Amino acid sequence: MPGSHPFFKTPEPVSLGSLARSLDCTLRSDSHADVTIAAVAPVEAADAGCLTFLSNPKYISAVRKTKAGAVICSPRHAGLIDDETPV
């Protein structure tokens, strides 16, 4: 479990806008900038406070079902993800 190891401090939650700036990413919509991200998780395990990713379009069906707070992906894959999901 991320952050549960005694040698690792649990990171503070961060806004999606701040995370996007730090990673030099572009948000699909500025309205998603205030989404709070507290962890990173695999697409199937992610919940509303998690960031997940899409690097291979064969996993798009899993991304469309994810409960993740946001998905990070390449611009060419962004159009494959529902408009309501922060990308």
Side-chain angles (χ1 to χ4, degrees):
M1 178 121 184
S4 64
H5 195 281
F7 294 107
F8 298 105
K9 181 181 172 193
T10 302
E12 295 293 320
V14 64
S15 74
L16 188 56
S18 175
L19 188 59
R21 284 188 298 279
S22 295
L23 298 174
D24 197 25
C25 295
T26 303
L27 291 177
R28 180 165 54 186
S29 171
D30 289 337
S31 67
H32 297 141
D34 292 332
V35 171
T36 300
I37 301 298
V40 177
V43 67
E44 300 87 2
D47 63 22
C50 294
L51 175 69
T52 194
F53 69 96
L54 173 68
S55 62
N56 186 328
K58 78 178 187 177
Y59 296 105
I60 190 62
S61 63
V63 169
R64 287 182 176 149
K65 296 175 193 172
T66 191
K67 304 273 191 256
V71 177
I72 191 168
C73 65
S74 72
R76 72 174 185 246
H77 293 138
L80 300 173
I81 300 171
D82 300 333
D83 289 340
E84 296 80 36
T85 302
V87 174

